[in-house]
Amino acid sequence: MDESVILHAERSFLVCRKPVGVECEHELPALLAEEMKCKADSLYCIHRLDRAVGGVMVWARTPKAAAELSRQVQEKALKKAYFAVCSGIPTPDTGEMRDLLFKDSVKQKSFAVSSSRRGVKEALLDYHVLQDAVLNGSPAALVRVTLHTGRFHQIRCQFASRGHPLLGDGKYGSRVKGAIALQSCGLQFLHPETGKPMAFTLPLPEGAFWKPFEG
């Protein structure tokens, strides 16, 4: 590997930077195991990122740590933050998005729906517009998102349903070509052994969609 994917490693867990284009079930554990000189089946997946999305993740290295970190996910003690670049500028510039989402397993896509039924789950996130710019002649905004639920394609669907698809996300209506402008940029959780608060952050990624917001 040309660049390390490991950001932090201890006996019970590790924190990594998932590259864009790598899936979480087989490819990422293989990358981590190669760098850690361990077996891929000794790593426990706590949460996932879409193949098209990169960024910071935590993996457990023992069954006990996996159980503790999974408990934090269930109890919303593990906090996840993202950078996104969306079409248009959301208003107000700080707020929450609360929706009912239905996952269509055939189309591998989520839809915002108006009423609850089988397969529908509530989705909640907070967002804050950090900067705005003009990209390809159209307004766009750099947004920091904090997830409170972890639904399938949640950020992509919720922003698109309000007319602000993420740049490069053709599946949810973006007409702009390129990699999806979404990155997992922050994780906060409690150390699975000591309970100490842990926090990890990443800067803006490289790429055309992010350049107007650098510096």
Side-chain angles (χ1 to χ4, degrees):
M1 291 177 292
D2 295 331
E3 183 180 1
S4 173
V5 296
I6 306 296
L7 300 176
H8 179 88
E10 296 190 19
R11 178 182 63 181
S12 60
F13 72 96
L14 65 83
V15 177
C16 72
R17 174 194 52 79
K18 184 185 95 66
V20 172
V22 173
E23 60 85 32
C24 288
E25 188 172 353
H26 302 292
E27 296 174 4
L28 183 57
L31 282 178
L32 297 176
E34 178 185 350
E35 187 166 344
M36 294 295 294
K37 308 300 184 193
C38 67
K39 294 182 178 179
D41 60 8
S42 69
L43 302 173
Y44 301 85
C45 186
I46 304 303
H47 59 115
R48 289 175 171 79
L49 290 175
D50 299 337
R51 178 188 285 273
V53 177
V56 62
M57 297 183 69
V58 59
W59 287 70
R61 300 185 67 191
T62 66
K64 186 175 181 180
E68 168 57 22
L69 290 170
S70 295
R71 180 194 67 79
Q72 293 184 37
V73 171
Q74 292 296 319
E75 297 181 2
K76 299 180 175 56
L78 188 149
K79 307 293 186 183
K80 294 179 279 187
Y82 293 76
F83 286 135
V85 180
C86 67
S87 174
I89 303 172
T91 55
D93 60 8
T94 298
E96 72 171 28
M97 295 182 181
R98 186 186 298 268
D99 293 286
L100 296 174
L101 299 189
F102 173 73
K103 177 186 175 182
D104 187 321
S105 297
V106 175
K107 295 181 178 179
Q108 285 294 291
K109 185 176 180 179
S110 285
F111 296 88
V113 298
S114 59
S115 60
S116 183
R117 62 178 187 271
R118 185 176 181 179
V120 171
K121 296 181 179 180
E122 184 179 60
L124 175 64
L125 61 78
D126 291 335
Y127 72 89
H128 177 63
V129 176
L130 300 176
Q131 297 181 54
D132 60 74
V134 175
L135 293 176
N136 300 319
S138 299
L142 172 65
V143 182
R144 183 179 172 90
V145 178
T146 302
L147 281 183
H148 297 289
T149 54
R151 309 306 180 201
F152 182 74
H153 290 180
Q154 178 177 337
I155 297 172
R156 298 165 63 182
C157 178
Q158 289 192 273
F159 275 81
S161 71
R162 290 162 172 80
H164 300 295
L166 305 190
L167 298 189
D169 194 0
K171 190 163 197 169
Y172 286 90
S174 176
R175 297 181 179 180
V176 181
K177 303 295 184 181
I180 299 173
L182 180 64
Q183 176 185 259
S184 170
C185 67
L187 274 183
Q188 295 181 43
F189 57 92
L190 301 179
H191 192 291
E193 292 182 317
T194 68
K196 175 185 175 181
M198 308 293 292
F200 299 89
T201 60
L202 290 178
L204 287 179
E206 297 179 353
F209 297 151
W210 309 95
K211 282 191 180 301
F213 306 105
E214 291 176 349

